[in-house]
Amino acid sequence: MSEAPADEVPTRDRLLDATERILIERGHSQVSTRHVAEQAGVAHGLIRYHFGSLDDLMQATLERACNQILQRQRDLYASDLAFIEKWRAAMGYIDVDLEAGFPKLLGELIARSWNEPSWQPVIRQLVSGFDEVLGAAVEAASAEYGLTDVDVAALTTLLRTFQLGILVDRLSGVDAGHAHLNEVIGTWLMQLERDSVSNDRATHDNATTERD
């Protein structure tokens, strides 16, 4: 699908697109009213008109990107695929997202929160959104595999920090151990899948025997 000509894109979206490009290509230290306005091809006074401040513009840019990722993850985990296939798809998205620049965008603004505490509530809110999606996935997987002793909150936190850690590694040019770790997790999920099928078969056989 071809992109709409710049003059047909709403000004608000042009500002968001320009800010996203600068964050990904140059980093948050290079986001300025002048740079954004030049990239968007608009008067810099429109930043204040549409967003109030440069910080509000960067926050809106991050929220837009995260909402797109979260919706994709919700759709994936709500699908009829077996959990192991959902996991494989989710891990496959890492390369897609790196190519698109999302981890760089997220990382730049997480780094901003280290020195500017006013950004920390923004990051916490976004993390809460990811935890909500991951938590629902963990609960569904536990039910699918018949696991009754899973600490959903702890495993959700583990998965979130695991995924963020991989993204930080990859952004830093590090991938040592990632393939092996993914293989180990895949093997474990396949075993859970087999155990679940065996348990279902045993339950079915027992029910048939009782009826006979």
Side-chain angles (χ1 to χ4, degrees):
M1 182 176 178
S2 59
E3 295 184 2
D7 58 0
E8 293 182 11
V9 178
T11 299
R12 181 182 175 85
D13 289 337
R14 289 165 68 178
L15 290 167
L16 289 169
D17 291 343
T19 305
E20 181 174 298
R21 284 195 301 273
I22 296 170
L23 283 166
I24 292 170
E25 295 171 4
R26 305 185 198 173
H28 70 267
S29 64
Q30 296 301 309
V31 178
S32 68
T33 300
R34 180 174 64 83
H35 286 152
V36 172
E38 287 177 354
Q39 284 270 340
V42 301
H44 50 70
L46 290 173
I47 293 175
R48 185 174 184 83
Y49 174 79
H50 285 281
F51 295 97
S53 70
L54 201 57
D55 259 16
D56 289 336
L57 171 56
M58 285 191 286
Q59 179 178 337
T61 302
L62 179 60
E63 288 175 346
R64 182 181 70 164
C66 285
N67 286 338
Q68 291 169 350
I69 298 294
L70 283 170
Q71 189 56 55
R72 183 191 67 191
Q73 299 303 96
R74 289 190 188 99
D75 292 343
L76 171 63
Y77 289 122
S79 70
D80 294 331
L81 293 171
F83 182 77
I84 188 171
E85 297 303 327
K86 295 175 184 178
W87 173 260
R88 287 169 177 160
M91 294 304 292
Y93 286 147
I94 289 175
D95 288 326
V96 173
D97 291 341
L98 283 164
E99 180 69 23
F102 170 72
K104 179 68 160 44
L105 169 65
L106 179 61
E108 283 289 338
L109 295 180
I110 287 177
R112 187 178 180 88
S113 74
W114 298 342
N115 296 310
E116 298 187 30
S118 62
W119 267 85
Q120 292 176 4
V122 176
I123 301 302
R124 284 197 295 270
Q125 182 179 358
L126 293 173
V127 165
S128 177
F130 281 100
D131 281 354
E132 179 184 347
V133 173
L134 287 171
V138 169
E139 287 184 347
S142 300
E144 181 178 332
Y145 293 137
L147 304 176
T148 59
D149 58 350
V150 173
D151 188 323
V152 173
L155 190 51
T156 297
T157 301
L158 177 63
L159 284 173
R160 186 233 308 154
T161 53
F162 160 76
Q163 291 180 336
L164 283 175
I166 283 184
L167 293 177
V168 170
D169 269 6
R170 294 287 298 275
L171 285 171
S172 304
V174 177
D175 62 3
H178 292 185
H180 178 60
L181 176 58
N182 199 26
E183 182 180 343
V184 169
I185 293 173
T187 299
W188 175 61
L189 289 174
M190 287 175 64
Q191 185 59 55
L192 288 177
E193 190 84 19
R194 286 192 293 269
D195 290 347
S196 176
V197 171
S198 296
N199 291 338
D200 288 346
R201 186 179 296 116
T203 299
H204 177 269
D205 291 345
N206 289 337
T208 301
T209 299
E210 290 175 2
R211 285 197 303 270
D212 293 343

